[in-house]
Amino acid sequence: MKEHMNFTKEMVTDYADKLLIGLTEEETNMVLEEFSIIDENINKINNIKDIEKVEPMTHCLDNFIYDLREDVEEESIPIEELLQNCDEHTMREVEVPTVVG
């Protein structure tokens, strides 16, 4: 059985700083409470007898059928024609506005 991780205020603050989302004291406490609830629920799962023998699900439906189609090679539109729809491009690369400062 896996040992649970105790989240600390310092960990939450550190992660928030790394993600550039600066949290208030109230938000930090809310995150700690949520992590505590998540940790408790994960520990309930980890304490189920023989849980490691259970095969993970790939789908929520038991009778799910993969409907795979044949790969059919189709002719592509020439890159030059596609680039005519772009405002700006350098060679074969489309230039887009910067969204992160």
Side-chain angles (χ1 to χ4, degrees):
M1 280 179 233
K2 295 180 183 175
E3 217 176 283
H4 65 91
M5 181 175 194
N6 290 319
F7 292 95
T8 65
K9 185 176 182 177
E10 291 75 24
M11 289 170 69
V12 172
T13 302
D14 182 50
Y15 290 137
D17 290 343
K18 287 178 181 175
L19 294 169
L20 304 174
I21 58 173
L23 299 175
T24 65
E25 185 75 25
E26 182 181 341
E27 291 168 329
T28 301
N29 290 331
M30 183 182 71
V31 169
L32 281 170
E33 287 176 30
E34 290 293 325
F35 281 170
S36 176
I37 292 168
I38 292 168
D39 200 33
E40 285 176 27
N41 287 316
I42 289 174
N43 281 325
K44 286 179 187 176
I45 294 169
N46 286 336
N47 289 324
I48 296 173
K49 184 179 180 196
D50 295 330
I51 190 70
E52 62 277 349
K53 295 178 184 176
V54 176
E55 188 174 332
M57 290 177 25
T58 57
H59 243 275
C60 62
L61 306 173
D62 290 335
N63 60 351
F64 182 78
I65 299 172
Y66 291 96
D67 188 20
L68 300 177
R69 59 180 170 77
E70 287 293 318
D71 285 338
V72 178
E73 187 175 331
E74 296 179 359
E75 193 171 320
S76 297
I77 299 173
I79 189 76
E80 295 78 20
E81 190 177 325
L82 291 173
L83 291 173
Q84 290 175 0
N85 295 315
C86 300
D87 290 335
E88 294 187 38
H89 62 86
T90 302
M91 299 188 61
R92 295 173 58 119
E93 297 177 0
V94 176
E95 294 180 24
V96 296
T98 303
V99 293
V100 178

